[in-house]
Amino acid sequence: MKPMSSRERFLTALKRQQPDRVPWFESYVHRGLADRIVGRKTDLPPGWRTPPDLYKILCLDTITYNFRPPFYAIMEKNGDVEQLKEGLLKSRDDLKALKEFLPDPENPDFYRGAEELLSFARQNGLAAIAGIRVGLSNTYNSMGYENFSYALYDDPGFIEESMELIGEWCIKVIERINDLGFDAAYISEDIAFKWGPMFSPEHFRKYMLPHMKKVVDHIAIPRIYHTDGNPLPMLKDLVEELNICAIANLEHGAVDIFQVKEEWGDKICLIGNMDLHYTLTMGTPEETVLEAKEKLEKVGRGGGYVISSSNGLTEYCKAENILALNGAILRYGVYY
């Protein structure tokens, strides 16, 4: 098979076809990990999710820009990682403040870094991914999990109004993304824990999915859906209602990717499943190669698979394991 560019390879896999090798996608690579892999301090431009220096060493096929709206919440810094401390969306009285809090989606400065990333992607033959949200996780994180849970039973209209407001902002951003030249949209909306959905599928379909669909319907490029945990009870909804072409990142230990390949491999592209709980973070290079080899050969068979971690490459991943994964992809991910 003729060698493909990273962009061609990734887009071929999204269509459930067989590229020259299994593509490698990570929605982000933590700068601290990148520094250890590169051997010096790396640069991470605003909005970029992976330091560009890393592409000289790893065979990553995609690069992601972050268009996600901020949470309306008190955030705490833990090193260079922001953690949510308290949601500020307590009642409908806070909706006006939420609207004023969101960045101006018409401001050209909001998109300037994206144009620079697109230029880098084109120069290096990479697939450019737009990281977005469509209203759900911003709602439950801005409300706080406890407040959101009570509202789901006592006042679901409050949740719907919040999703509608945030969704309107997302639509304006998505309409700009459609014209910029990105290759796919990465919709990051967690709907599951490791043991199953965060809320009942019935509540999801009634109160959340219609508002998500309203936003997603504006996306004119291929749609990748990310959630942690086990979303399988709602996967049919994501495929049929949101018209996604891929599900990411298929968390190791939460889903059996080999079973998902059997049941869904002819319908959507599968992304992910390298173990972040042990293999990439606490295992050895040899264990990393063994896990990667199994997934590349079994899930990658016939195409429609993109290897990835179960979320992104965190700061606490071992650099030697990421280099071992890189080698395994180049050795065992090739289609002959």
Side-chain angles (χ1 to χ4, degrees):
M1 182 181 291
K2 181 182 176 181
M4 294 180 169
S5 70
S6 287
R7 180 174 181 267
E8 291 170 333
R9 181 177 300 126
F10 183 74
L11 293 178
T12 298
L14 282 192
K15 296 173 185 174
R16 302 192 313 280
Q17 298 171 1
Q18 182 175 291
D20 59 342
R21 72 158 168 83
V22 175
W24 185 8
F25 165 85
E26 297 294 347
S27 65
Y28 71 91
V29 180
H30 190 280
R31 185 177 175 182
L33 173 63
D35 291 349
R36 299 200 307 277
I37 292 173
V38 174
R40 58 174 171 77
K41 284 286 185 183
T42 56
D43 180 45
L44 185 62
W48 294 41
R49 299 279 280 162
T50 299
D53 288 338
L54 212 52
Y55 290 88
K56 299 173 184 175
I57 297 174
L58 301 182
C59 64
L60 290 162
D61 292 293
T62 68
I63 186 165
T64 303
Y65 191 83
N66 180 22
F67 289 101
R68 300 179 301 181
F71 298 141
Y72 182 48
I74 298 172
M75 306 296 290
E76 270 187 342
K77 274 272 193 180
N78 184 4
D80 60 353
V81 176
E82 270 198 321
Q83 296 177 319
L84 190 147
K85 183 179 180 182
E86 181 185 356
L88 296 175
L89 187 60
K90 307 292 188 182
S91 70
R92 283 184 173 82
D93 294 338
D94 299 316
L95 289 172
K96 184 175 183 293
L98 167 62
K99 186 173 184 178
E100 294 171 351
F101 166 79
L102 292 170
D104 180 4
E106 308 295 340
N107 187 343
D109 290 340
F110 186 75
Y111 305 93
R112 192 150 289 126
E115 293 165 355
E116 294 170 359
L117 179 138
L118 282 165
S119 176
F120 176 83
R122 296 297 173 254
Q123 289 170 15
N124 291 274
L126 302 169
I129 312 300
I132 65 171
R133 288 199 171 109
V134 296
L136 176 56
S137 58
N138 273 79
T139 294
Y140 64 66
N141 279 291
S142 297
M143 291 178 68
Y145 292 151
E146 185 175 353
N147 192 27
F148 178 88
S149 298
Y150 280 121
L152 193 54
Y153 287 89
D154 297 336
D155 189 8
F158 177 32
I159 292 173
E160 293 184 284
E161 286 183 44
S162 302
M163 289 191 65
E164 189 75 12
L165 189 156
I166 298 165
E168 288 173 357
W169 182 92
C170 293
I171 288 170
K172 293 177 182 177
V173 173
I174 286 165
E175 288 173 343
R176 291 291 298 271
I177 290 171
N178 287 336
D179 296 331
L180 283 172
F182 279 87
D183 296 304
Y186 179 75
I187 305 164
S188 180
E189 295 283 3
D190 286 338
I191 57 172
F193 300 117
K194 187 172 183 177
W195 53 85
M198 295 168 63
F199 14 73
S200 75
E202 292 74 23
H203 279 119
F204 177 70
R205 292 171 189 134
K206 184 174 182 179
Y207 299 120
M208 304 163 209
L209 191 59
H211 296 279
M212 296 169 72
K213 176 175 169 53
K214 183 176 179 178
V215 179
V216 168
D217 281 349
H218 288 264
I219 301 172
I221 52 181
R223 304 161 184 179
I224 302 165
Y225 192 95
H226 159 85
T227 176
D228 293 336
N230 178 6
L232 296 184
M234 280 116 73
L235 185 52
K236 187 172 184 284
D237 300 288
L238 300 178
V239 173
E240 295 182 355
E241 297 298 321
L242 303 187
N243 195 26
I244 64 170
C245 67
I247 182 74
N249 288 73
L250 291 173
E251 184 179 338
H252 182 97
V255 297
D256 180 345
I257 195 168
F258 306 111
Q259 181 180 346
V260 176
K261 173 75 173 182
E262 289 292 321
E263 296 179 2
W264 289 93
D266 62 340
K267 300 177 183 67
I268 53 172
C269 173
L270 308 181
I271 299 176
N273 207 239
M274 284 298 297
D275 186 4
L276 268 177
H277 298 293
Y278 174 75
T279 307
L280 296 179
T281 54
M282 295 185 287
T284 65
E286 293 77 16
E287 289 172 312
T288 301
V289 170
L290 284 174
E291 182 181 333
K293 181 176 184 290
E294 182 180 31
K295 283 160 185 173
L296 290 164
E297 292 179 346
K298 291 184 179 179
V299 190
R301 187 179 297 118
Y305 175 56
V306 178
I307 197 165
S308 172
S309 67
S310 294
N311 187 286
L313 296 184
T314 59
E315 194 275 338
Y316 50 91
C317 286
K318 290 184 177 180
E320 59 267 33
N321 290 354
I322 305 309
L323 291 169
L325 174 58
N326 185 75
I329 292 168
L330 294 174
R331 181 175 181 182
Y332 300 111
V334 178
Y335 292 102
Y336 294 101

